[in-house]
Amino acid sequence: MNKSISLLGSTGSIGTQTLDVARNLGLRVTALSAHSNVKLLEQQTREFKPKRVSIGEEYYSQLKTALSDTEVEILCGDEGVLELAETDESETLVNAVLGMKGLRPTVAAALKGKKIAFANKETLVAGGKIVTDAVTKGGAVLLPVDSEHSAIFQCIQGGTKIKKILLTGSGGPFLGQSKEYIKDVTPEMAIKHPRWNMGKKISVDSASLMNKGLELIEAVHLFNVEPEKVEVVIHPQSIVHSMVEFEDNAIIAQMGTPDMRLCIQYAITYPERLPSPANNLDLFGKELTFLKPDEETFPLLALAKKAISKGGNIPAVMNGANEEAVKLFLEHKIGFTQLFDLVINATENACFISEPNLEDIIQSDKTAREYVASHI
Ligand code: NDP
Ligand code: MG
């Protein structure tokens, strides 16, 4: 296939699955970026032969030595990622970076009018309006990779007006458990997702239901709907990946096996559909159930709703506090419900900025992380 991509976050869960799609479709890969995984980035560079790669500053000399027999240009640090996002000549930029670090590169690529296959939800949660304004200004296109948002995007191909988005979620590994039970769960239990195989951070977010909160905010920005029009529906089987209700009360759902490669591929080949490595879905013998989320046991979903209603810098504060708290939880430094308390307190104690600029967002994120780090 005569298409090309550049890929930020190539060594992660979405990154490696994107390269699977590239391999399968025969896409040209013009640039790759990673943070710390020198070995895998070296392998990927040898296989896909990009013109340029970028790695975290502290790993630069290691990568340079490893690739000294090749022609590839090696960049590093935040500046390296930014340069790839801004100047790469590929058709589609796939942003699979983890966390708020993806904000500056996303804004830069949007201002250059790029087509962006977008997985990096934290960036949209924190920088919402700044990102969507940059997209409009630059004439860029954001194509959703997150499975629910890909589903919604597929459901609205008819182009009708959205009455409501039904955002589905599996409920994570602790679905149906009590507040008492989840107090003592370990990171190892939290990252064992029943349906999807994902990176550690998003797995913890799925266990706390923060992921659904982040996705609700992501949907508000991607589809330009009011937060009240997005309803979270727990669907443990992960067969329906989200639904859209239209003006006439018809509901369209997108279904399939849980395989991110389908979503990644659709974002890259849109509007074309091509054979994909995802298995086909056999519906016989399957049951579909839909439940209301338990926001009392999992209060971060309710917090996310409050944060997007308040707007301004508050979603950025919540997201930054959550990124820091998840890191501490994964390092066994705090408990699971302590993570909830820290994120709620950081968000509720933040100074409100109603019309934040990019620097305000970055500062709010930093302050929220410091709040969490200093309150454990
Ligand atoms: P991973 O942790 O598996 O991968 C993250 C990637 O980002 C790696 O390539 C990592 O490099 C790189 N990275 C980490 N920190 C930095 C940094 N400071 N600067 C530049 N690059 C960095 O995450 P996932 O693939 O799971 O998630 C990526 C994004 O996609 C997230 O926003 C997530 O919410 C979203 N997403 C993920 C899904 C999934 O199924 N995994 C589903 C839907 C959305 P290295 O490994 O070399 O350190
Ligand atoms: Mg998702």
Side-chain angles (χ1 to χ4, degrees), residues 36-313:
S36 61
N37 196 336
V38 174
K39 204 161 181 198
L40 185 54
L41 184 59
E42 181 200 344
Q43 278 171 21
Q44 293 175 341
T45 305
R46 293 192 186 279
E47 179 180 355
F48 291 95
K49 302 185 175 47
K51 275 196 202 146
R52 296 189 296 170
V53 297
S54 181
I55 185 96
E57 234 167 285
E58 56 274 49
Y59 305 96
Y60 175 76
S61 52
Q62 234 179 301
L63 186 69
K64 198 146 173 78
T65 310
L67 291 171
S68 57
D69 60 325
T70 70
E71 302 272 280
V72 69
E73 185 187 338
I74 305 174
L75 312 173
C76 71
D78 293 349
E79 288 309 311
V81 182
L82 191 63
E83 200 176 322
L84 292 188
E86 220 168 22
T87 59
D88 195 80
E89 70 277 5
S90 71
E91 209 174 316
T92 303
L93 173 76
V94 182
N95 180 352
V97 168
L98 177 69
M100 248 284 285
K101 273 280 172 196
L103 181 58
R104 277 189 206 276
T106 304
V107 171
L111 288 173
K112 294 279 170 177
K114 300 246 3 155
K115 197 169 118 185
I116 309 169
F118 192 75
N120 177 215
K121 68 185 87 180
E122 296 88 354
T123 275
L124 204 52
V125 169
K129 193 167 157 7
I130 290 162
V131 175
T132 51
D133 283 353
V135 166
T136 310
K137 194 169 169 198
V141 190
L142 279 188
L143 292 147
V145 165
D146 207 347
S147 60
E148 296 76 6
H149 306 76
S150 171
I152 296 160
F153 185 59
Q154 293 177 59
C155 292
I156 61 171
Q157 288 310 305
T160 357
K161 273 194 197 159
I162 298 175
K163 183 171 159 198
K164 196 157 121 190
I165 287 174
L166 299 159
L167 184 77
T168 56
S170 69
F174 308 134
L175 175 64
Q177 298 292 1
S178 66
K179 260 189 200 166
E180 269 309 298
Y181 175 87
I182 61 170
K183 253 193 196 144
D184 299 322
V185 296
T186 61
E188 291 70 29
M189 290 158 82
I191 60 176
K192 260 202 195 127
H193 196 276
R195 303 279 165 204
W196 297 90
N197 183 8
M198 309 181 287
K200 282 186 188 163
K201 192 262 176 182
I202 187 175
S203 298
V204 173
D205 286 345
S206 299
S208 69
L209 288 201
M210 177 45 109
N211 186 46
K212 272 319 118 181
L214 299 177
E215 289 184 350
L216 186 151
I217 301 176
E218 188 184 8
V220 165
H221 294 302
L222 280 174
F223 303 108
N224 194 22
V225 294
E226 291 89 57
E228 308 74 54
K229 285 194 176 176
V230 187
E231 182 166 10
V232 172
V233 179
I234 300 300
H235 168 51
Q237 297 87 0
S238 296
I239 290 174
V240 172
H241 299 310
S242 277
M243 300 172 262
V244 177
E245 184 178 321
F246 295 94
E247 296 248 273
D248 56 359
N249 293 335
I251 294 179
I252 297 189
Q254 188 262 334
M255 297 193 271
T257 49
D259 190 327
M260 288 306 298
R261 292 174 302 179
L262 195 149
C263 316
I264 297 165
Q265 176 169 310
Y266 189 66
I268 294 171
T269 65
Y270 171 80
E272 245 188 297
R273 282 193 188 273
L274 296 172
S276 90
N279 286 330
N280 70 316
L281 172 65
D282 178 9
L283 275 173
F284 291 109
K286 301 273 189 332
E287 270 183 27
L288 304 180
T289 41
F290 301 101
L291 314 162
K292 275 205 182 298
D294 175 358
E295 292 184 23
E296 218 191 293
T297 308
F298 301 97
L300 295 185
L301 173 56
L303 180 74
K305 288 182 188 171
K306 272 197 234 157
I308 184 66
S309 298
K310 179 97 182 173
N313 65 330

